[in-house]
Amino acid sequence: KERLFYFHSIADYVQNVVAHEYTHYRLSEEMAKDGLEEESVPIWLNEGYCEFVANNVSKKYSPMYEESTEELFLPYDTLVSNEEWQANAGDYIQALATIKELMVIGKKATIQTILEGIKQGEEWNSILSTSFKIDIGSDEFALLIKKRMKDFYTEGILFDK
């Protein structure tokens, strides 16, 4: 189950990877300017935002699985540090679906709101609870994200229905 199969061609894959990695660079530069250390931001947020930007550059995904994708969902508290992301094989599509859902709720200010809260010493999950009225650990939110992941993995779409 290679990541390349998300895309119609190698050119689409390369375009996505370049956009994703460049977004990491720019995000890290902006965070440094604001005095934020990368470790203070949960990795699912960082990876999800980079996937969000890359997805807006290259929207050429293909379905990947026909079977259930339920087991691909991971609790967010296991996806906070880079080490946890690597150990738990963090799912980029879960992170992307989460960012897209937060963007639906919070519009363009989503990432900025979260980063500003973290800079002021707030915990990321309390920012989501206070600013977006989301309990990211709830079964309801998990079911929503699992549905978004299933739509992506089985039909190649996120939020396009």
Side-chain angles (χ1 to χ4, degrees):
K1 296 178 180 177
E2 294 290 322
R3 184 177 161 85
L4 178 60
F5 295 124
Y6 291 6
F7 302 94
H8 293 295
S9 70
I10 290 176
D12 293 339
Y13 172 75
V14 170
Q15 182 182 31
N16 183 278
V17 169
V18 169
H20 178 102
E21 296 305 327
Y22 182 72
T23 304
H24 274 302
Y25 167 75
R26 292 295 303 144
L27 183 59
S28 128
E29 290 287 308
E30 290 302 314
M31 286 171 42
K33 272 196 245 179
D34 286 342
L36 274 171
E37 294 184 25
E38 253 183 85
E39 297 78 31
S40 64
V41 175
I43 192 74
W44 66 261
L45 180 90
N46 191 315
E47 293 297 347
Y49 181 68
C50 293
E51 278 296 295
F52 176 80
V53 171
N55 180 261
N56 284 321
V57 170
S58 171
K59 296 181 181 183
K60 301 171 184 170
Y61 292 112
S62 294
M64 194 170 163
Y65 305 128
E66 291 181 12
E67 68 270 11
S68 168
T69 57
E70 184 95 6
E71 72 283 353
L72 297 174
F73 181 86
L74 296 166
Y76 291 93
D77 60 359
T78 66
L79 300 174
V80 176
S81 72
N82 194 35
E83 293 77 23
E84 290 169 330
W85 182 268
Q86 298 300 325
N88 292 305
D91 191 291
Y92 289 87
I93 301 310
Q94 177 180 339
L96 171 59
T98 304
I99 293 298
K100 283 196 163 208
E101 193 59 40
L102 293 175
M103 293 287 200
V104 166
I105 296 164
K107 309 290 184 239
K108 292 181 181 179
T110 299
I111 301 302
Q112 182 179 358
T113 300
I114 296 169
L115 293 178
E116 284 174 1
I118 290 171
K119 184 178 178 181
Q120 293 173 8
E122 293 180 63
E123 293 288 323
W124 61 268
N125 45 1
S126 70
I127 298 166
L128 295 178
S129 177
T130 317
S131 298
F132 302 100
K133 308 298 183 239
I134 291 175
D135 177 0
I136 201 163
S138 73
D139 291 341
E140 180 183 1
F141 192 76
L143 285 173
L144 176 64
I145 298 305
K146 287 176 187 178
K147 182 194 177 323
R148 302 289 187 214
M149 291 170 68
K150 181 178 182 282
D151 288 347
F152 175 83
Y153 281 120
T154 59
E155 301 175 41
I157 57 164
L158 269 174
F159 290 65
D160 291 337
K161 282 188 178 178

